[in-house]
Amino acid sequence: VQCIRNLNGHSIGPYQIHAGKSVPIVKGGDTTKMEEDEMYAIETFGTTGRGYIVEDLECSHYMKNFHAPHVPLRLPRSKKLLSHINKTFGTLAFCKRWLERPDGGSAAVNGTNGKQEKYMGALKNLCDVGIIQPYPPLCD
């Protein structure tokens, strides 16, 4: 088993899973210093493969960009989906499967009236303009 060279741990902020600082798991990476009161996800990734991953296959997981620019959206479905994402997930990760549930990803927030339909074009639009970040599967 060897480390995956191009994956790192990272700093975590309030409602920001990837807060900017990296923690390499192999020698020779980023030399940024950790500071007091910062929080980190120290993630070690092992493999019996090459030790280098690439993004591949169909994407199912997404997250709103914490520093998303204000982009005027022209598509009504994109506006509706972004409103749902803001209300239901904020900047935390979500998957397409949750959007398709009757509660749209949160029964506490949406009750049984949250299911998103015909949203794929809107989701692609939100990714294309940089508001939503896709997280495709990582393959070794």
Side-chain angles (χ1 to χ4, degrees), residues 18 39 109 123 133 138:
H18 301 107
M39 291 185 6
V109 173
L123 184 57
Q133 175 72 42
L138 304 175

Side-chain angles (χ1 to χ4, degrees), residues 7-123:
L7 286 179
N8 297 314
H10 51 84
S11 58
I12 301 172
Y15 297 96
Q16 187 176 13
I17 304 268
H18 301 107
K21 290 186 178 180
S22 292
V23 180
I25 61 171
V26 294
K27 197 176 200 177
D30 187 1
T31 59
T32 303
K33 303 286 186 206
M34 292 182 182
E35 297 176 29
E36 191 171 337
D37 295 326
E38 289 181 331
M39 291 185 6
Y40 289 85
I42 305 299
E43 301 173 316
T44 55
F45 301 94
T47 181
T48 57
R50 296 174 304 151
Y52 188 86
I53 57 97
V54 292
E55 295 178 347
D56 197 14
L57 307 172
E58 182 182 351
C59 186
S60 62
H61 289 74
Y62 301 85
M63 191 165 23
K64 184 175 178 206
N65 181 348
F66 191 80
H67 299 290
H70 174 71
V71 177
L73 298 171
R74 296 183 353 187
L75 301 174
R77 285 190 192 270
S78 295
K79 291 177 186 177
K80 179 179 182 264
L81 181 59
L82 180 58
S83 174
H84 177 80
I85 290 168
N86 284 334
K87 177 177 74 168
T88 308
F89 309 110
T91 56
L92 299 178
F94 62 94
C95 64
K96 291 189 291 191
R97 182 172 33 107
W98 293 350
L99 296 173
E100 297 165 0
R101 293 184 345 194
D103 65 7
S106 174
V109 173
N110 302 310
T112 57
N113 299 316
K115 183 175 182 175
Q116 300 300 296
E117 296 178 349
K118 299 180 182 176
Y119 64 86
M120 285 303 297
L123 184 57

